[in-house]
Amino acid sequence: MVYYPIYESARPWADKYFGSLGSGVAGVLARAASVAVSSPAERIKTSVQGTGAATIVFNWKAFTGLQATLYRDIMFSGAFFLIMENLYKKLSEQEVVGARIISSLVGGSVAVLLTNPFDVLKTKIQTQYCCFEDYENKPFKGMKSIAKNEGW
């Protein structure tokens, strides 16, 4: 409800000022706004899925894991839309059948590979798995710990 209206509104401006990077910039702006609005609900959902229980109290704890979520979602949207829109333009010029599907598949695959470590960290923070509350403000330290102890 928040993401696509902001993306579509920001894209003409971003294309004008950032050229071929515009779709990525618009995706980043839209995702940052969307995460800020949806973070408390995401926190509750993740906690229930991970632990089977959640306390529904709206306070600053509702934003637990926000930094890791922002890293994940902003990088995902920036990478996805940057790759997908630019690849789609090139494939469309060559009249490739299924250009939108191919460009979305490539953009999504690259974006997932880049952001999966942040998703793992966000989930561990939000479900309060072991000692990950220490890593809420130090996401790169948390990812290093995950890679060292659990593998990449």
Side-chain angles (χ1 to χ4, degrees):
M1 246 165 58
V2 174
Y3 183 77
Y4 282 107
I6 293 173
Y7 174 75
E8 292 298 333
S9 298
R11 189 154 168 232
W13 168 84
D15 284 343
K16 179 180 174 183
Y17 290 102
F18 296 97
S20 63
L21 299 175
S23 55
V25 171
V28 164
L29 294 173
R31 185 57 68 187
S34 177
V35 166
V37 170
S38 65
S39 188
E42 173 77 14
R43 162 74 169 93
I44 292 168
K45 178 192 77 126
T46 303
S47 183
V48 169
Q49 289 174 337
T51 64
T55 304
I56 301 176
V57 176
F58 189 81
N59 57 26
W60 288 112
K61 280 198 153 228
F63 292 94
T64 299
L66 178 63
Q67 188 174 7
T69 304
L70 282 169
Y71 280 127
R72 179 200 66 177
D73 288 3
I74 287 172
M75 284 194 322
F76 182 92
S77 291
F80 174 73
F81 282 107
L82 180 67
I83 294 167
M84 188 268 297
E85 294 290 355
N86 287 302
L87 183 57
Y88 175 70
K89 286 177 188 172
K90 288 183 193 244
L91 294 175
S92 294
E93 290 169 0
Q94 298 172 7
E95 298 180 14
V96 173
V97 175
R100 183 61 76 186
I101 293 169
I102 293 167
S103 61
S104 296
L105 178 68
V106 172
S109 297
V110 171
V112 165
L113 287 171
L114 289 173
T115 60
N116 186 57
F118 289 102
D119 189 46
V120 171
L121 179 65
K122 175 205 68 95
T123 302
K124 289 184 181 250
I125 290 170
Q126 289 183 338
T127 57
Q128 297 179 357
Y129 176 80
C130 183
C131 310
F132 279 89
E133 58 274 352
D134 295 341
Y135 299 127
E136 183 170 354
N137 294 318
K138 299 174 185 169
F140 292 101
K141 185 176 179 184
M143 288 191 311
K144 184 178 176 184
S145 175
I146 291 169
K148 179 181 175 187
N149 298 320
E150 300 178 32
W152 195 250

